[in-house]
């Protein structure tokens, strides 16, 4: 049976270094909006686009609430999306 994250011992539990693609995509996503990347560079390979988009999304619940219309404690009926339905 395979050990989950942080579990088990031995050589299989060693952490893998971050890939160069992920490191670069994370850096770009932290510095530029994806729309600016698309506008500035004509041909971005699909795998690179996917990783930049992935790293562009917020990671913490606090950031998700801050950058989205989701607000903890608000009724779902109060949102414009549910009012239009």
């Amino acid at each position: 049976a395979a050990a989950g994250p942080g579990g088990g011992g031995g050589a299989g539990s060693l952490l893998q270094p971050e890939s160069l693609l992920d490191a670069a995509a994370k850096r770009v996503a932290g510095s530029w909006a994806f729309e600016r990347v698309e506008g500035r560079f004509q041909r971005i390979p699909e795998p690179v686009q996917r990783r930049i988009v992935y790293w562009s999304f917020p990671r913490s619940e606090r950031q998700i609430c801050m950058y989205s219309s989701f607000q903890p404690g608000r009724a779902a009926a109060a949102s414009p999306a549910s009012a239009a339905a």
Side-chain angles (χ1 to χ4, degrees):
S13 65
L14 294 176
L15 295 175
Q16 294 295 317
E18 185 173 48
S19 72
L20 183 57
L21 173 59
D22 272 332
K26 190 187 297 187
R27 177 72 179 212
V28 169
S31 303
W32 292 4
F34 185 70
E35 292 81 15
R36 285 189 64 197
V37 173
E38 281 185 312
R40 179 152 185 202
F41 303 101
Q42 295 299 318
R43 295 169 47 170
I44 304 170
E46 185 72 25
V48 176
Q49 288 182 26
R50 282 195 302 256
R51 296 316 293 168
I52 293 171
V53 169
Y54 173 81
W55 287 112
S56 294
F57 282 94
R59 299 283 173 247
S60 71
E61 184 177 344
R62 182 181 149 277
Q63 288 177 327
I64 292 169
C65 291
M66 185 168 63
Y67 293 114
S68 71
S69 60
F70 174 71
Q71 296 288 323
R74 291 179 77 182
S79 71
S82 62

